[in-house]
């Protein structure tokens, strides 16, 4: 019996030793085992759901705990301040910010009246037409402060004519809309309330506080393992490690959350995420209603039309007054065609004349989908242009078309982030300034640039920084090849509804448009005034203007490429 216990105790000791050895091995390798299991599980999960956005965007963005760009230099800060002052919008009075809907601007109760010209109701070509707009609230009471966003247009459907008016805010609830009289015959006034001042106050707030309201994301992939994370110009540093994709040449910032199991250099693409909802608080949604206070016409008190008589020849032109008040539109429509003012003779181009004009030319187009429209129009207009299949995603690019017979080359590439296209290959995202620095330029080179719409959700300072880099690259290009024609396209009006207003309102666009014009003023570039060309036209506003407006834009450009 004693012998049996001695043998059993020996085996027990061996068993305990083996058990302890196994436990030691397990604990020493548990981290490796856990990582392998996680990799397999995550890989299987993302094979089926690789588009899941992780994590959700911050709400709202705290810039004090965010990784953003470097501060501007003193010179840049001074220019930035001047630019922001130039587009400063009248603020509502403090007591008017949280008013009820009944106390906000109501286009149905508002009115406009055509003022007599120098005490007489007679107008001639070359004169100036002035309209006084009175804004009232929903209870019919006159407003006592300004800040409403108004548009004004003078047009004639019978003559196919139209011109944009300039709106002056007197900051007391009244506005002046001023038009130059450029054609003989009938002229009808149209005044539209785009947003009441109270809605503009909301738009200003969400632009500053919620630049993340259209989030972005990138797919990271290595082998069978993939993960999608949030990206943006600024990301909070207190949530996860970041991948820094700041451009080394321009310093333009871009960040993504680092995937947990992948490195930053495994990024595959860039895409727009789902729009963020619930941006409005309390009853702010009442300020954004179709047919109530978004792009609603204001009715006249009395007649909305005048008859313009022929130009006076024997007296001093009242257009001197027009010049002194700064009413200088870039052009106007007459018989359906755009007539530029102060910029040479506008020609109408057909298939043959457009082909001859572009013969031997290389046309580079950079920017958003509004300049892609120009690529598509020219590619259709010139019959021998054949689009070369680069296997690019539809509506994203890059695109290229070649006419080997007439030696014409067209190229389009979208601008760098932020860009809201569905999916862009990461390697195809290029900054416009860098692309311009790679051009030789010369008299056979034409460059189109349109960059505005995808910046509407960000503070204006972001747009200023981007345009500053592009402007420097344009100056370098013109210095080394002065014969290069550089064409800038301004922002344009678009259709609005309650949702679009929060992300792409015309108010965001008009602010960016003011910055673009100021920053490139004085440079040897051609500005295509898409804002006035869409405002003056009778067709409904659209983010991508209809073909007839695109034709007039292209005719304007080609008139400078091939002047008479």
């Amino acid at each position: 019996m004693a012998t049996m216990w001695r043998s059993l105790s020996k085996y027990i000791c061996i068993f305990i030793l083996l058990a302890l050895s196994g436990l030691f091995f397990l604990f020493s390798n548990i981290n490796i085992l856990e990582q392998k299991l996680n990799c397999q599980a995550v890989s299987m999960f993302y094979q089926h759901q690789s588009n899941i956005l992780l994590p959700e965007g911050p709400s709202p963005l705290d810039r004090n705990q965010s990784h953003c760009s470097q501060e501007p230099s003193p010179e840049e800060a001074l220019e930035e301040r001047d630019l922001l002052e130039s587009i400063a919008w009248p603020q509502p009075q403090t007591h008017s910010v949280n008013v009820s809907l009944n106390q906000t601007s109501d286009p149905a109760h508002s009115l406009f009246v055509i003022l007599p010209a120098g005490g007489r109701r007679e107008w001639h070509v070359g004169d100036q037409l002035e309209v006084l707009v009175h804004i009232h609230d929903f209870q019919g009471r006159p407003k006592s402060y300004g800040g409403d966003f108004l548009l004004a247009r003078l047009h004639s459907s019978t003559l196919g004519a139209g011109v944009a008016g300039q709106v002056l805010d007197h900051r007391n609830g009244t506005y002046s809309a001023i038009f130059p009289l450029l054609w003989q015959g009938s002229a009808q006034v149209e005044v539209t309330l785009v947003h009441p001042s109270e809605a503009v106050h909301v738009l200003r707030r969400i632009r500053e506080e919620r630049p993340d309201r259209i989030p972005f994301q990138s797919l990271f992939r290595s082998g069978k393992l993939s993960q999608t994370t949030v990206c943006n110009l600024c990301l909070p540093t207190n949530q996860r490690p970041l991948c820094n994709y700041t451009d080394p040449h321009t310093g333009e910032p871009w960040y993504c959350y680092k995937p947990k199991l992948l490195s930053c250099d495994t990024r595959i693409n860039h895409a727009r995420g789902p729009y963020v909802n619930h941006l409005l608080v309390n009853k702010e949604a009442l300020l954004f209603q179709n047919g109530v206070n978004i792009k609603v016409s204001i009715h006249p008190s009395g007649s909305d039309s005048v008859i313009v008589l022929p130009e006076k020849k024997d007296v001093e032109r009242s257009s001197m007054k027009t010049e002194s008040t700064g009413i200088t539109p870039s052009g106007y429509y007459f018989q359906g065609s755009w007539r530029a003012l102060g910029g040479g003779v506008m020609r109408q181009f057909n298939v043959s004349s457009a082909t001859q004009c572009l013969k031997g030319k290389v046309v580079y187009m950079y920017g958003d989908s509004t300049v892609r429209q120009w690529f598509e129009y020219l590619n259709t207009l010139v019959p021998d242009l054949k689009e070369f299949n680069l296997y690019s995603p539809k509506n994203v690019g890059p695109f290229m078309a070649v006419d080997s017979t007439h030696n014409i080359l067209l190229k389009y590439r979208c601008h760098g982030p932020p860009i809201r296209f569905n999916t862009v290959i990461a390697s195809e995202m290029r900054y416009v300034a860098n692309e311009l620095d790679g051009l030789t330029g010369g008299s056979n080179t034409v460059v189109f640039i349109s960059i505005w719409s995808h910046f509407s959700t960000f503070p204006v300072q972001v747009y200023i920084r981007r345009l500053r880099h592009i402007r420097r690259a344009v100056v370098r290009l013109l210095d080394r090849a002065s014969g290069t024609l550089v064409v800038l396209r301004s922002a344009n009006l678009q259709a609005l509804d309650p949702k679009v207003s929060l992300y792409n309102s015309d108010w965001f666009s008009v602010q960016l448009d003011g910055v673009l014009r100021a920053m490139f003023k004085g440079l040897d570039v051609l500005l295509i005034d898409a804002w006035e060309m869409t405002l003056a036209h009778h067709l409904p506003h659209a983010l991508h203007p209809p073909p007839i407006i695109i034709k007039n834009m292209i005719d304007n450009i080609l008139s400078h490429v091939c002047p008479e």
Side-chain angles (χ1 to χ4, degrees):
M1 187 71 175
T3 303
M4 183 180 69
W5 275 109
R6 283 196 298 269
S7 299
L8 183 60
S9 62
K10 182 174 66 175
Y11 287 116
I12 291 174
C13 292
I14 295 173
F15 175 79
I16 292 174
L17 181 62
L18 290 173
L20 290 173
S21 300
L23 287 172
F24 176 80
F25 178 84
L26 178 62
F27 282 119
S28 65
N29 291 276
I30 191 167
N31 289 333
I32 298 174
L33 180 62
E34 181 183 18
Q35 183 176 5
K36 288 183 177 180
L37 289 173
N38 282 341
C39 287
Q40 292 175 0
V42 172
S43 179
M44 291 294 293
F45 180 74
Y46 278 104
Q47 285 178 16
H48 298 287
Q49 302 191 39
S50 61
N51 291 325
I52 290 179
L53 190 65
L54 295 174
E56 293 184 0
S59 175
L61 181 67
D62 184 355
R63 295 188 193 179
N64 294 326
Q65 296 183 352
S66 301
H67 205 314
C68 297
S69 62
Q70 297 179 351
E71 291 297 318
S73 68
E75 295 79 10
E76 293 170 345
L78 178 61
E79 180 189 40
E80 183 178 286
R81 186 195 67 189
D82 292 340
L83 288 168
L84 293 177
E85 288 180 356
S86 71
I87 62 169
W89 200 269
Q91 293 267 17
Q93 298 174 1
T94 304
H95 66 80
S96 66
V97 173
N98 297 314
V99 299
S100 67
L101 177 66
N102 285 338
Q103 296 173 287
T104 65
S105 305
D106 178 19
H109 280 93
S110 303
L111 56 92
F112 71 82
V113 59
I114 297 176
L115 300 181
R120 53 183 172 77
R121 300 194 66 84
E122 181 180 285
W123 294 269
H124 294 261
V125 172
D127 285 348
Q128 176 179 287
L129 181 68
E130 184 173 357
V131 171
L132 186 62
V133 185
H134 299 266
I135 300 297
H136 296 77
D137 64 20
F138 280 81
Q139 295 176 324
R141 297 174 302 188
K143 296 285 290 293
S144 61
Y145 52 89
D148 299 292
F149 182 20
L150 303 177
L151 296 175
R153 179 171 79 104
L154 188 69
H155 64 101
S156 171
S157 57
T158 57
L159 297 174
V163 66
Q166 180 176 353
V167 177
L168 305 177
D169 186 349
H170 301 300
R171 306 196 179 196
N172 61 1
T174 65
Y175 302 78
S176 292
I178 303 174
F179 309 90
L181 298 179
L182 300 169
W183 64 84
Q184 179 181 339
S186 64
Q188 181 179 358
V189 175
E190 181 182 286
V191 179
T192 302
L193 175 73
V194 182
H195 294 300
S197 58
E198 297 79 10
V200 171
H201 179 77
V202 174
L203 294 176
R204 180 190 287 110
R205 189 198 77 233
I206 64 174
R207 180 182 66 185
E208 301 304 317
E209 296 180 359
R210 296 305 305 264
D212 61 328
R213 61 191 184 278
I214 298 182
F216 302 92
Q217 60 193 55
S218 277
L219 170 67
F220 295 78
R221 186 171 60 221
S222 178
K224 295 182 178 181
L225 179 63
S226 61
Q227 186 175 353
T228 301
T229 71
V230 168
C231 307
N232 216 316
L233 284 166
C234 295
L235 288 176
T237 57
N238 58 354
Q239 292 191 12
R240 293 173 55 177
L242 299 178
C243 291
N244 186 351
Y245 298 110
T246 298
D247 180 64
H249 301 289
T250 63
E252 283 290 346
W254 194 254
Y255 303 93
C256 295
Y257 284 118
K258 184 184 181 302
K260 292 181 179 179
L261 303 171
L262 293 169
S263 63
C264 292
D265 59 5
T266 59
R267 184 175 63 146
I268 301 297
N269 61 29
H270 164 93
R272 182 195 68 212
Y275 284 41
V276 175
N277 297 317
H278 310 298
L279 297 170
L280 303 179
V281 298
N282 299 325
K283 297 183 179 181
E284 289 178 343
L286 297 175
L287 299 172
F288 301 92
Q289 301 183 69
N290 286 330
V292 176
N293 46 23
I294 297 178
K295 280 202 174 178
V296 178
S297 296
I298 294 175
H299 298 291
S301 175
S303 176
D304 63 354
S305 303
V306 299
I307 299 298
V308 183
L309 302 175
E311 180 180 2
K312 284 187 175 181
K313 301 293 184 181
D314 55 344
V315 296
E316 182 179 356
R317 289 275 306 268
S318 60
S319 60
M320 297 296 292
K321 179 182 178 183
T322 299
E323 294 176 1
S324 65
T325 55
I327 310 305
T328 53
S330 61
Y332 67 103
Y333 288 103
F334 190 76
Q335 296 178 344
S337 297
W338 182 255
R339 298 187 176 187
L341 296 174
V345 179
M346 275 283 294
R347 298 173 57 190
Q348 302 297 313
F349 286 84
N350 55 27
V351 169
S352 175
S353 57
T355 301
Q356 289 303 311
C357 180
L358 290 173
K359 186 176 182 179
K361 296 290 191 295
V362 181
V363 183
Y364 299 94
M365 307 183 200
Y366 304 112
D368 54 37
S369 57
T370 60
V371 76
R372 190 190 69 226
Q373 276 192 286
W374 292 359
F375 176 91
E376 294 165 350
Y377 180 86
L378 288 172
N379 196 28
T380 302
L381 177 64
V382 180
D384 290 335
L385 272 172
K386 305 300 179 185
E387 187 169 350
F388 191 85
N389 187 0
L390 300 176
Y391 300 98
S392 301
K394 183 180 180 181
N395 298 333
V396 175
F399 302 123
M400 182 172 69
V402 179
D403 178 349
S404 56
T405 303
H406 301 95
N407 196 26
I408 302 171
L409 174 63
L410 305 183
K411 300 183 76 174
Y412 163 80
R413 180 178 291 279
C414 67
H415 64 72
I419 191 152
R420 302 179 201 148
F421 292 163
N422 289 333
T423 302
V424 184
I425 303 301
S427 60
E428 293 292 355
M429 286 197 300
R430 317 279 179 83
Y431 289 95
V432 175
N434 294 339
E435 293 296 298
L436 294 175
D437 282 338
L439 300 182
T440 302
S443 58
N444 66 330
T445 302
V446 184
V447 179
F448 299 164
I449 302 172
S450 178
I451 179 168
W452 58 277
S453 180
H454 298 251
F455 288 79
S456 62
T457 56
F458 293 92
V460 178
Q461 293 90 330
V462 171
Y463 189 61
I464 292 173
R465 182 179 63 232
R466 183 63 56 90
L467 289 189
R468 185 181 291 124
H469 295 140
I470 294 174
R471 183 180 61 186
R472 290 168 178 166
V474 167
V475 171
R476 291 191 291 266
L477 173 60
L478 295 178
D479 282 345
R480 66 178 178 270
S482 59
T484 308
L485 176 61
V486 178
V487 182
L488 294 179
R489 184 195 188 282
S490 79
N492 61 259
L493 295 155
Q494 58 186 297
L496 297 181
D497 60 26
K499 182 177 181 179
V500 173
S501 296
L502 303 183
Y503 304 95
N504 235 31
S505 168
D506 289 337
W507 184 78
F508 297 135
S509 301
V510 75
Q511 295 262 285
L512 300 181
D513 191 49
V515 168
L516 173 76
R517 294 169 190 266
M519 292 189 70
F520 284 87
K521 184 177 181 180
L523 291 185
D524 188 16
V525 298
L526 171 64
L527 175 68
I528 298 300
D529 199 334
W531 186 269
E532 288 195 8
M533 294 182 77
T534 50
L535 174 54
H537 205 276
H538 67 88
L539 288 176
H541 301 159
L543 175 60
H544 300 108
I548 184 59
I549 296 180
I550 300 301
K551 172 182 166 38
N552 278 285
M553 292 178 179
I554 296 299
D555 284 345
N556 194 351
I557 296 171
L558 295 183
S559 295
H560 286 81
V561 176
C562 303
E564 286 186 335

